[in-house]
Amino acid sequence: MAQSGVASRRKSEEIIASGRVKVNGIVVTELGTKVGPKDVVVVDDKVLDKENLVYYVLNKPTGYLTAVSDKLGRRTVMDLISLEDKKERIFPVGRLDYDTSGVLLLTNDGTLSYKLTKSAKEIEKTYHARLDGIIDQNAVNKLIKGVMIDGKMTKRAKIAILDIDKKNNSCLISLTITEGRNRQVRKMCETVGYSVKKLKRVSFGGITLDNLKVGEYRPLKPHEIKVLYSL
C-alpha cells in the first residue's frame, strides 16, 4: 500500500486494521499479510496498481533539503530528479543534512527504506570530513570507542586520516558510523574538539557515487540492490 502511494507505512497499517482492505474479495485486517503479483488488493473499493520499484543514488549538493517538498519553498533533492523519474513517486532514504553533500539513496520501495533506516540492523555509512585543525591520536581513540552526544554514547566507529594540511591547519578524515542520528558526524567531531568545515558522505551500505558529478544521479545496479537487501 505504501509503495502504491495510498498512505505512509503507519497510516496503511491503520487502514488495514480498520477493515478497509480486501485481498481477492476477502477483508483482511491482519498486519503483515503477504500478497503476490496475481493477488487483487482493493482499498475503499479502489483496486491498487503496484508501482514499478525503482532505485537511485544521487550525489547530493549542499544547499538542498532532504525532503520530497518544503512548505517554505526551499530547494529539495527532488528538484534534481527529472519529471519522468518522479512519476514513480520516489522519496529519499533517510536524510542528509542541508550542508552535507554526497551519497543519498532514493526509491519508492517502502520495505527497503524501512529496512535501511528504521530497523535495528547496523548499516555502515562512511563520511569524509574536513576538520578545522589537525586531529590528534587521543581524539581518534575517543571517536573509535564512542563519544557522548545528546546525552547518549555513540557506537564504535572506524576512522582513518586521509590528508594533513599543516599550512592551513586542517586535516581530512574518513569516519564510518552505523547510526543515523541528527548531525552525528559534526557533533562527534565537535565533542573531541574539532569543527567540521566540509562534510561529504561517500558510502551508504556499500553504495558509492561511482564518479557521479555533484547534482547527478543514476539507477542502482541489480547487484547493488541485492547488497542493500542483504544487509
Side-chain angles (χ1 to χ4, degrees):
M1 287 171 59
Q3 293 171 6
S4 297
V6 174
S8 66
R9 186 184 182 93
R10 180 173 297 178
K11 186 64 177 178
S12 294
E13 292 177 347
E14 294 176 3
I15 293 173
I16 294 170
S18 65
R20 294 162 55 190
V21 179
K22 293 181 181 179
V23 177
N24 301 328
I26 300 174
V27 174
V28 172
T29 57
E30 182 179 352
L31 301 181
T33 299
K34 302 294 184 181
V35 295
K38 295 183 179 180
D39 292 320
V40 177
V41 181
V42 177
V43 180
D44 295 335
D45 298 322
K46 181 180 179 181
V47 178
L48 298 189
D49 292 322
K50 188 174 181 180
E51 288 185 313
N52 178 43
L53 296 179
V54 293
Y55 310 84
Y56 300 103
V57 56
L58 165 73
N59 186 351
K60 176 192 172 296
T62 58
Y64 283 79
L65 292 176
T66 302
V68 173
S69 61
D70 181 63
K71 293 180 180 179
L72 300 178
R74 292 171 293 182
R75 296 183 301 182
T76 76
V77 292
M78 300 307 295
D79 295 327
L80 301 167
I81 308 300
S82 72
L83 291 176
E84 182 65 26
D85 290 333
K86 284 191 284 192
K87 287 181 180 179
E88 298 292 351
R89 290 180 285 203
I90 61 176
F91 52 85
V93 177
R95 64 188 174 195
L96 205 54
D97 295 335
Y98 183 81
D99 48 359
T100 300
S101 64
V103 173
L104 180 68
L105 303 183
L106 300 103
T107 185
N108 57 353
D109 188 340
T111 299
L112 180 61
S113 178
Y114 182 85
K115 177 183 177 70
L116 296 176
T117 59
K118 300 295 195 302
S119 73
K121 290 185 176 294
E122 296 187 347
I123 309 298
E124 287 197 343
K125 309 165 191 68
T126 300
Y127 296 79
H128 286 178
R130 172 64 65 177
L131 305 184
D132 186 9
I134 299 174
I135 195 167
D136 60 33
Q137 191 60 46
N138 183 50
V140 168
N141 293 339
K142 288 180 179 178
L143 290 174
I144 292 173
K145 294 178 180 178
V147 295
M148 184 73 70
I149 62 171
D150 299 327
K152 183 180 178 182
M153 289 291 292
T154 60
K155 294 182 179 180
R156 289 185 65 86
K158 299 175 184 177
I159 184 171
I161 300 174
L162 304 178
D163 176 68
I164 293 178
D165 184 352
K166 293 183 178 179
K167 181 178 179 180
N168 295 300
N169 190 35
S170 174
C171 69
L172 180 68
I173 67 168
S174 171
L175 186 63
T176 300
I177 60 176
T178 56
E179 302 169 280
R181 295 159 64 179
N182 183 40
R183 299 179 70 82
Q184 181 171 342
V185 172
R186 294 179 186 277
K187 291 178 180 178
M188 288 175 67
C189 293
E190 288 168 1
T191 297
V192 296
Y194 299 88
S195 62
V196 176
K197 301 170 65 174
K198 190 175 182 180
L199 186 61
K200 180 178 183 178
R201 185 160 70 189
V202 297
S203 175
F204 182 104
I207 306 302
T208 62
L209 294 172
D210 203 17
N211 296 319
L212 281 177
K213 295 180 181 178
V214 175
E216 290 185 343
Y217 66 98
R218 65 171 176 84
L220 290 187
K221 300 165 186 174
H223 77 271
E224 291 177 315
I225 299 170
K226 289 182 180 179
V227 167
L228 291 175
Y229 260 102
S230 69
L231 296 176

